Amino acid sequence: MSRNAKVNTLLLLAVAALAVLPLVLGLGDHKEEPFAGADAEAETAITEIEPDYEPWFSPLYEPPSGEVESALFALQAALGAGVLAYYFGLRRGRRQGEERALVATPEPTALRDTPAGD
């Protein structure tokens, strides 16, 4: 197994552990919504500190449920990952194309040595 494959495997295991360990250890069992987003946590903290607080503005679109909100967030993350993957793939492809073009071009000295009539 190459070094890159080992590093990739370890990173994949670390990400899987980050996703599974909170569920296995029961983190968040004491909460009504154990895996609510940071926005909900911030709203709860603000209303505890200042019960009369009123937001400056309201959202343009309020999803009908938490599942729809999660799906829209996942869609946004997937689109962002797709744009980044396209950009990095395009850069790598251009770099490889330039390298192949440099290898395929003949040396200038070889062109000078040929007779003009041939």
Side-chain angles (χ1 to χ4, degrees):
M1 185 181 271
S2 71
R3 183 177 187 275
N4 285 340
K6 289 178 184 176
V7 168
N8 288 341
T9 303
L10 288 174
L11 288 173
L12 185 63
L13 289 173
V15 168
L18 285 173
V20 172
L21 282 177
L23 298 172
V24 172
L25 298 176
L27 301 177
D29 283 346
H30 62 282
K31 297 181 180 180
E32 186 178 321
E33 291 184 41
F35 300 107
D39 292 344
E41 294 288 330
E43 184 178 349
T44 303
I46 290 170
T47 53
E48 286 177 4
I49 295 169
E50 183 68 42
D52 297 332
Y53 173 77
E54 290 185 28
W56 291 0
F57 58 90
S58 62
L60 297 175
Y61 172 69
E62 188 72 34
S65 68
E67 290 83 11
V68 174
E69 186 175 359
S70 295
L72 290 174
F73 182 75
L75 178 64
Q76 177 186 357
L79 288 173
V83 168
L84 284 175
Y86 174 78
Y87 172 73
F88 287 120
L90 186 67
R91 280 191 51 197
R92 181 176 180 163
R94 284 184 180 171
R95 187 176 60 239
Q96 287 177 347
E98 289 172 357
E99 290 172 0
R100 288 181 185 157
L102 287 175
V103 170
T105 56
E107 294 182 24
T109 57
L111 293 177
R112 275 189 255 140
D113 292 340
T114 60
D118 291 337

